Amino acid sequence: MITDELSAVPGVSSTSEQDYAAKGYHCLHEASPGSLPALAAIFRQRGFHLEHLTCLDMRADDDCMCLVYQFNRQDVPERHVIHSRLAPGEAGTSISEQFIGADWYEREVFDMFGVGFDGHPNLLRLLTDDDYIGHPLLKDFVDADPQRDVFAVDAKKDGVANEAANE
Amino acid sequence: MAEAHDNTEELLEQLGPLVHLSKLETLLNHARANSLWPLTFGLACCAIEMMAVGASRFDLDRIGAGVFRPSARQADVMILAGTISRKMAPVIQTLWDQMPAPKWAIAMGGCTIDGGPFKYPGQYAIVEGADKIIPVDVYVPGCPPRPEALFAGLLKLEEKIKAGRKGPEMVN
Amino acid sequence: MSSVPGPAMELVRDDEDRETYYLNMGPQHPSTHGVLRLRLHMEGERILSVFPVIGYGHRAHEKMAENRDYLMFLPNTSRIDYLSGMIYNLGYCQAIEKIMGIEVPERTEYIRIIVGELNRISSHLLWLGTYLLDLGGITPFLYCFDDRERILDILDSISGSRLTYCYGRFGGVTMDVDDAFLESTAAFCSYFHERLDEYEDLVTDNVIFRQRTEGVGPFSADLVQRFGLSGPCLRATGTRRDVRKDEPYGIYDRLDFEVPVGKTTNGDCFDRHTVRMAEMVQSLHLIEQAVRDIPDGPVMAAKVPKKIKPPAGDYYFAVESARGHFGMYIYSDGTDTPFRIKLRTPSFAHVSAMTEALVGTMLSDTISILGSIDIVIPEIDR
Amino acid sequence: MKTDFIQLFGNPWLAIGAAAVIVMGYLTVNSLMLVWLERKFSARIQRRLGPTEVGPFGLLQTAADMLKLISKELLTPAHVHRPLYLIAPILVFAPIMALCTLFPVSEHWVIYDYDLAVVLLLAFSGLNVIGIFAAGWGSNNKYALLGAVRAVAQNISYEIPLILAILPIVLMTRSLSFYEITSAQAAFPFIVVQPLAAIIYLIAATAETNRAPFDIPEAESELVAGFHTEYSGMRFGLFFFAEFSNMVIVCAVATVLFLGGWSGPLLPGFVWFFIKVYALILVMMWVRWTFPRLRFDQLMTFAWAVLVPLALINLLVTTVAIKLL
């Protein structure tokens, strides 16, 4: 287990073993967004791959957006989950140099949650329209006019209504 | 559906072009009905059932509709098989415009009728219903509809064509 | 004469001063297996760079998971990857059972093996048919669909649907299987063994098929690690990794089956083909073992909580779908509606790997590689 | 003994008119039947039924298709180079009509016995490539242009093995007229003497008519619909029509050169001729529905690295054999 090497990285605040049978992963790390590239580099050397990267909109209870990274080995299963909490407006740091696969995961988090990633090659929307305004997976997301006639209204103008509704 | 045939005359009267070769019109309509070339155009799960209809057991080619044309220029009927996402709607509109008249549209599956299993308040990603973007001729319910249902949908479209329905006119 | 319009082929001089152009393998293309769009930057027939545009099949599964409770999300699971709908559906049930600690009777475990592996074979058959359709051979598609129809009949007889099953429940399955089902499954297994040999002779040993797939689209170990590939694409590069073996769920640890693996370390299209064909054989073994020693007994667990309210916290559960490692990251806040369900789907990683795997290949090879990784579009866009 | 249309009608203009009517009639009926045959034949290979609803055994299916195509809206997209776009179908179809007149159907009947028939055949079979290229380039669509470029490269590189496969026959019979070549095969069909040339000819002929495994120009899975992506209605019908007529021409040449045209026991001459032609067509259809498609560069290496050397060796062996005998 490489937990000792990981916790040596400056930004990592806590590492805790987890009961694999109940939780499905081996250990949980709390890390600051800045320390992610360093962690990713360690995982990269030790033959881990990025299983997925997602975000949790926890602005309601403890006022932060929590990024969830998950790494795993490809030969013997050893799953590490990293929670990295961001203030609502703050941006994470991209790990697409170490894992080019993260490029799309980060674009999806940006598209769905609005969390930016500095250092990302081309941070565009991944799943929704390029000119879509608003981030759908946020808890307080309101689609101004869900079934608008797709052609009659220009997406830009309609987007402004979306923006207003979300303020 | 025997009575569908004898109301052809009234339908043709409604059209009312100057010169009416009704016998030729009927002949052409029967030809069009019996050689519907669908556009290869699968969106989601229903596309797999559309392929199953083209395969050996249900064999769409028996009624002359087995020639799946990839290019919209040579297709007569657009079978919308699957969920229409908000990002895909303009593409479907362009494809529909590229198809030469007379053309028809079959909305296959719950998603193309009114959003199907993905219809809920606050659904931001899909267009709930194909008739919001293109005029639809035949609706085939089911999620996904069984191949027999799509086959019946095509036969229903054939009856509609034989009764002299040139193609859906855009209302707006 | 009308004015001659500008050429559609606007040649763009790129940095190395080559005459290049942009070709749109657009959302509607016969061999993108759905609504995937690849913006290819090409020079002549060779591809310089690929920019996949996805999202045309985005149906907001994860947003729907957040406004309905755990049981109501069940039908969605088989519509994420409708080719291995049964595996996804049962996988979701097994995830919730593991979280809630619900014990499943023995008979259900065996039924889940039979039904899951049948679904895997039907998915691989559809892949084989459409892959050869991409390579230009039209006839095998019909034979593969014919066999697939037999599997769909068997699955239809117990679950009622052909493609998007909702056969699993938390704590068991909806309908018990009768002897007719077991006999027809056993009959199918024996029939399908010779059929696979037929496919071996007709397809695998076909000269033109070999030329179109051998050495095409090799995936290096580095690429596999950086993109996080899984399933047949990973196993074709020699790593023996299968969720059924590494993190066994259900009774996969009791049944014996091997995990077929490609010969070389950078597995090309042909290796992916051989791995999938061998996987079908392994699935047949699994089904035969399960049909042989399925015990009697109930199909539904004795006590299942009415309202599923998992204790707060995050859980992860993975299953081996026909395309690879399908994982569900469930974050629950103690209520009956999930706070967040992240669906980690294999095709998402496979299509993102296309940005590197397709560079430098010819257009026909792009189709061959794209077909060999066996993608399902709504699984990518969720 | 041999009557051709000019002797029959006296005035050459009348002969041309009659020839045009007969050829056009035959090609139309033949294309209708061939499309129906291909759909039924491929259905049988693929364990399905093929058209059965329209007319007895689905015989009127292609008639319905043609009627529908005729009554379709003739769409000329705005971004299209009009002159090239409109001339292309005619360019593809015209040479085939001319070629039809050369074949000696039986000892007594030939529409026009031209003593340089082989040269005319090779010239015209090169012509329809120009039509395909005009279609691809004219429709100003990237897929169509890719298809057109591929069609030109493929047809040119398969023209060489075609010629080299025909040369041994011409050397053996010392004549270029189909009539003499066929009458020279009264004793035994040339395929017995020249099996390699026959095989090379058939492969090159499949490539000439752009049929699988050489259907790279209109590769459905890669280039949407290849060079006829932008064509709709009867223009697309014409390409369909030309492809099947071209198939008949190519098989007729194969029968004349290798299978001894009208010679055969019992049945009258022209019956044998058509039996052999349609047998070869069935073989071509059978090949189409069994093989996947070659990649573009493999196709070229196959032509230049395999077919051309083989044909040259065969030519060499034939000349040496003729010299000795």
Side-chain angles (χ1 to χ4, degrees):
Chain A
M1 300 284 264
I2 65 169
T3 43
D4 38 25
E5 200 182 332
L6 288 175
S7 49
V9 174
V12 176
S13 53
S14 87
T15 305
S16 58
E17 290 295 319
Q18 297 293 329
D19 160 18
Y20 170 73
K23 287 280 194 172
Y25 54 90
H26 291 87
C27 55
L28 172 66
H29 308 270
E30 287 290 334
S32 73
S35 67
L36 255 300
L39 284 174
I42 295 170
F43 279 121
R44 177 94 164 79
Q45 279 138 21
R46 302 295 289 269
F48 280 71
H49 70 278
L50 175 71
E51 224 159 35
H52 76 86
L53 152 67
T54 185
C55 178
L56 305 171
D57 172 11
M58 296 173 156
R59 283 178 304 177
D61 33 33
D62 53 14
D63 187 24
C64 77
M65 302 281 278
C66 173
L67 286 176
V68 178
Y69 293 77
Q70 188 172 305
F71 291 92
N72 196 350
R73 291 181 66 86
Q74 257 169 350
D75 33 19
V76 67
E78 187 193 327
R79 191 166 282 125
H80 294 260
V81 172
I82 299 173
H83 284 193
S84 124
R85 295 180 190 280
L86 296 162
E90 194 194 350
T93 45
S94 157
I95 58 169
S96 43
E97 293 89 24
Q98 289 82 12
F99 291 98
I100 188 73
D103 171 352
W104 274 27
Y105 285 113
E106 282 159 2
R107 276 177 62 191
E108 186 188 355
V109 166
F110 165 70
D111 184 0
M112 290 292 149
F113 290 89
V115 173
F117 287 87
D118 38 25
H120 190 282
N122 58 351
L123 202 57
L124 305 169
R125 284 185 173 272
L126 188 69
L127 298 177
T128 50
D129 258 337
D130 295 344
D131 51 11
Y132 189 83
I133 311 273
H135 301 290
L137 272 184
L138 294 177
K139 287 295 173 189
D140 51 10
F141 172 74
V142 164
D143 191 347
D145 166 12
Q147 278 318 307
R148 71 188 190 285
D149 180 349
V150 181
F151 299 100
V153 174
D154 158 28
K156 280 281 174 311
K157 185 164 59 58
D158 152 69
V160 171
N162 244 351
E163 198 63 50
N166 280 342
E167 285 328 320
Chain B
M1 284 295 291
E3 75 285 353
H5 292 292
D6 46 39
N7 70 356
T8 320
E9 307 318 323
E10 300 93 27
L11 284 170
L12 291 179
E13 259 54 51
Q14 283 150 25
L15 296 181
L18 205 59
V19 172
H20 233 304
L21 314 162
S22 69
K23 282 295 159 278
L24 177 66
E25 287 287 332
T26 326
L27 174 71
L28 286 184
N29 282 339
H30 277 271
R32 285 186 196 122
N34 284 317
S35 92
L36 283 167
W37 289 1
L39 176 69
T40 25
F41 180 50
L43 289 160
C45 347
C46 292
I48 306 295
E49 288 298 74
M50 188 170 77
M51 285 204 266
V53 169
S56 316
R57 175 179 285 191
F58 301 99
D59 194 7
L60 214 52
D61 211 11
R62 281 180 291 153
I63 56 168
V67 183
F68 278 85
R69 293 307 305 167
S71 151
R73 300 279 189 224
Q74 296 133 17
D76 308 328
V77 65
M78 173 193 275
I79 301 181
L80 279 154
T83 325
I84 303 165
S85 81
R86 191 72 66 81
K87 203 172 179 180
M88 192 63 189
V91 177
I92 295 174
Q93 183 76 35
T94 352
L95 274 172
W96 178 255
D97 298 341
Q98 280 175 354
M99 286 168 71
K103 56 192 173 190
W104 296 274
I106 291 183
M108 171 183 180
C111 302
T112 47
I113 294 176
D114 72 340
F118 301 100
K119 180 186 174 71
Y120 70 96
Q123 162 67 274
Y124 64 91
I126 69 165
V127 175
E128 284 171 0
D131 37 28
K132 284 193 165 52
I133 39 175
I134 54 172
V136 172
D137 274 282
V138 173
Y139 293 93
V140 180
C143 180
R146 298 183 70 89
E148 300 93 333
L150 177 61
F151 214 104
L154 269 158
L155 293 179
K156 186 69 68 184
L157 181 62
E158 281 191 11
E159 277 160 35
K160 200 171 185 178
I161 297 169
K162 281 178 185 147
R165 186 74 162 58
K166 232 344 146 277
E169 279 74 30
M170 284 291 273
V171 176
N172 45 20
Chain C
M1 233 191 14
S2 72
S3 71
V4 178
M9 187 74 89
E10 308 88 8
L11 290 178
V12 170
R13 286 226 170 274
D14 72 342
D15 32 30
E16 285 108 18
D17 198 30
R18 290 175 299 198
E19 278 189 355
T20 63
Y21 59 97
Y22 285 93
L23 180 71
N24 228 328
M25 238 168 86
Q28 189 261 337
H29 186 276
S31 65
T32 47
H33 300 273
V35 280
L36 166 73
R37 173 174 160 210
L38 294 177
R39 220 187 0 235
L40 307 170
H41 178 205
M42 291 172 73
E43 183 205 13
E45 283 261 346
R46 205 156 286 285
I47 286 166
L48 307 177
S49 76
V50 182
F51 183 74
V53 180
I54 62 171
Y56 292 98
H58 178 53
R59 309 194 278 194
H61 280 289
E62 286 164 6
K63 179 77 178 179
M64 288 169 78
E66 281 166 20
N67 58 24
R68 50 191 63 205
D69 67 17
Y70 285 91
L71 187 61
M72 283 166 68
F73 187 61
L74 206 54
N76 273 52
T77 49
S78 59
R79 283 164 178 79
I80 300 166
D81 173 4
Y82 39 81
L83 286 185
S84 24
M86 188 64 89
I87 297 174
Y88 274 56
N89 199 270
L90 296 177
Y92 180 67
C93 296
Q94 281 163 344
I96 302 296
E97 281 152 15
K98 199 182 90 167
I99 296 171
M100 300 297 290
I102 305 167
E103 268 310 311
V104 175
E106 268 303 289
R107 187 173 173 83
T108 315
E109 291 293 1
Y110 280 87
I111 295 174
R112 282 182 174 171
I113 296 282
I114 299 172
V115 163
E117 292 310 318
L118 277 176
N119 192 233
R120 190 189 311 278
I121 296 178
S122 84
S123 165
H124 282 332
L125 272 174
L126 189 127
W127 164 80
L128 183 65
T130 44
Y131 186 43
L132 283 152
L133 207 60
D134 293 348
L135 297 183
I138 301 156
T139 310
F141 171 78
L142 278 308
Y143 284 82
C144 294
F145 255 72
D146 190 37
D147 295 340
R148 197 169 158 271
E149 290 287 338
R150 291 166 190 258
I151 299 180
L152 296 189
D153 288 348
I154 297 172
L155 293 178
D156 189 6
S157 65
I158 47 160
S159 66
S161 56
R162 289 164 51 94
L163 201 65
T164 50
Y165 314 94
C166 201
Y167 181 53
R169 288 294 180 276
F170 303 141
V173 280
T174 38
M175 240 180 84
D176 194 352
V177 289
D178 51 11
D179 297 340
F181 170 82
L182 294 176
E183 275 132 27
S184 56
T185 316
F188 171 76
C189 288
S190 53
Y191 154 80
F192 196 60
H193 271 297
E194 310 109 25
R195 197 56 161 192
L196 274 179
D197 305 339
E198 230 176 275
Y199 286 139
E200 288 291 330
D201 310 338
L202 281 179
V203 172
T204 313
D205 305 340
N206 182 312
V207 170
I208 298 182
F209 176 78
R210 281 285 178 95
Q211 276 182 354
R212 283 297 297 277
T213 50
E214 259 162 2
V216 172
F219 282 176
S220 64
D222 178 49
L223 180 119
V224 162
Q225 190 209 355
R226 289 210 330 274
F227 283 100
L229 307 187
S230 61
C233 297
L234 170 65
R235 289 193 281 275
T237 62
T239 21
R240 196 172 293 278
R241 180 70 200 280
D242 186 326
V243 181
R244 296 173 294 178
K245 276 278 190 213
D246 304 337
E247 303 159 81
Y249 51 95
I251 50 165
Y252 275 110
D253 40 16
R254 272 188 245 147
L255 303 172
D256 69 39
F257 66 101
E258 317 109 26
V259 175
V261 163
K263 294 173 291 309
T264 65
T265 55
N266 44 13
D268 54 18
C269 289
F270 188 67
D271 289 331
R272 286 187 278 279
H273 168 79
T274 36
V275 161
R276 286 198 183 91
M277 297 296 274
E279 260 178 33
M280 281 203 255
V281 175
Q282 291 307 319
S283 295
L284 282 178
H285 289 326
L286 274 167
I287 295 173
E288 276 149 3
Q289 288 169 48
V291 165
R292 192 183 59 228
D293 41 29
I294 182 169
D296 292 338
V299 214
M300 240 347 227
K303 52 156 195 56
V304 176
K306 271 285 151 287
K307 266 283 175 220
I308 303 284
K309 278 197 172 59
D314 55 356
Y315 309 87
Y316 186 82
F317 183 81
V319 236
E320 179 69 27
S321 93
R323 261 147 282 287
H325 169 106
F326 166 64
M328 285 156 279
Y329 176 79
I330 300 170
Y331 190 89
S332 139
D333 55 1
T335 65
D336 61 359
T337 53
F339 184 77
R340 168 98 167 96
I341 293 187
K342 160 74 183 175
L343 306 164
R344 191 270 174 199
T345 52
S347 295
F348 186 83
H350 296 166
V351 172
S352 72
M354 282 302 110
T355 42
E356 264 185 27
L358 295 182
V359 173
T361 60
M362 298 184 61
L363 189 58
S364 338
D365 285 346
T366 316
I367 307 286
S368 177
I369 298 166
L370 199 61
S372 77
I373 56 169
D374 185 8
I375 45 174
V376 171
I377 302 304
E379 185 201 0
I380 302 168
D381 306 342
R382 286 179 309 282
Chain D
M1 188 246 314
K2 155 170 65 87
T3 59
D4 61 14
F5 269 36
I6 295 187
Q7 293 149 3
L8 194 66
F9 289 93
N11 163 354
W13 289 109
L14 207 58
I16 290 176
V21 161
I22 286 192
V23 159
M24 212 37 213
Y26 169 71
L27 283 183
T28 323
V29 170
N30 161 58
S31 288
L32 286 184
M33 279 311 118
L34 273 190
V35 170
W36 173 79
L37 181 68
E38 169 125 55
R39 281 171 82 164
K40 275 290 198 189
F41 187 72
S42 69
R44 281 301 180 277
I45 293 183
Q46 294 164 353
R47 295 169 54 113
R48 41 189 191 92
L49 289 181
T52 47
E53 295 304 314
V54 191
F57 308 108
L59 279 166
L60 298 180
Q61 176 59 52
T62 341
D65 284 350
M66 244 179 89
L67 266 175
K68 179 212 75 176
L69 281 175
I70 287 172
S71 64
K72 211 73 175 128
E73 169 201 0
L74 269 185
L75 208 71
T76 313
H79 60 78
V80 137
H81 185 278
R82 283 188 74 86
L84 262 184
Y85 179 79
L86 300 179
I87 198 78
I90 302 152
L91 251 182
V92 166
F93 188 69
I96 292 166
M97 272 182 64
L99 282 178
C100 254
T101 57
L102 300 174
F103 295 108
V105 174
S106 75
E107 298 99 322
H108 319 295
W109 284 107
V110 63
I111 297 179
Y112 175 58
D113 174 28
Y114 185 44
D115 45 15
L116 291 176
V118 173
V119 174
L120 191 70
L121 163 79
L122 295 175
F124 274 10
S125 71
L127 249 182
N128 70 14
V129 167
I130 297 171
I132 291 174
F133 190 67
W137 198 6
S139 44
N140 214 345
N141 162 332
K142 286 184 185 140
Y143 284 116
L145 187 66
L146 273 176
V149 162
R150 285 180 172 189
V152 167
Q154 171 182 316
N155 280 33
I156 288 176
S157 60
Y158 275 89
E159 197 91 11
I160 312 296
L162 197 77
I163 297 169
L164 290 179
I166 294 176
L167 269 185
I169 307 295
V170 169
L171 284 181
M172 276 161 45
T173 57
R174 281 188 191 70
S175 105
L176 286 167
S177 130
F178 283 151
Y179 193 82
E180 272 132 30
I181 292 176
T182 328
S183 42
Q185 294 175 36
F188 54 88
F190 278 150
I191 193 165
V192 170
V193 177
Q194 293 279 357
L196 187 57
I199 293 167
I200 292 173
Y201 176 82
L202 262 182
I203 294 172
T206 330
E208 282 298 313
T209 52
N210 296 335
R211 284 179 65 82
F214 304 98
D215 63 347
I216 312 251
E218 6 102 6
E220 253 179 30
S221 67
E222 285 150 27
L223 302 175
V224 187
F227 55 88
H228 44 67
T229 313
E230 293 290 346
Y231 283 85
S232 69
M234 203 43 207
R235 289 194 192 117
F236 169 68
L238 258 184
F239 279 112
F240 227 53
F241 200 92
E243 184 194 335
F244 283 98
S245 318
N246 206 346
M247 216 161 87
V248 169
I249 302 280
V250 152
C251 290
V253 166
T255 23
V256 161
L257 292 182
F258 294 104
L259 299 178
W262 64 74
S263 54
L266 304 174
L267 302 172
F270 69 91
V271 172
W272 269 114
F273 180 80
F274 283 110
I275 285 175
K276 290 174 185 164
V277 166
Y278 283 104
L280 271 177
I281 285 178
L282 280 180
V283 166
M284 274 177 88
M285 285 185 185
W286 177 30
V287 161
R288 170 177 185 173
W289 296 102
T290 39
F291 284 106
R293 187 179 300 122
L294 271 171
R295 200 178 55 198
F296 186 48
D297 56 339
Q298 288 162 355
L299 174 115
M300 306 299 273
T301 39
F302 181 65
W304 293 104
V306 173
L307 287 189
V308 166
L310 271 179
L312 283 176
I313 294 163
N314 181 20
L315 192 60
L316 186 68
V317 164
T318 330
T319 40
V320 164
I322 292 169
K323 205 78 198 104
L324 297 182
L325 303 181

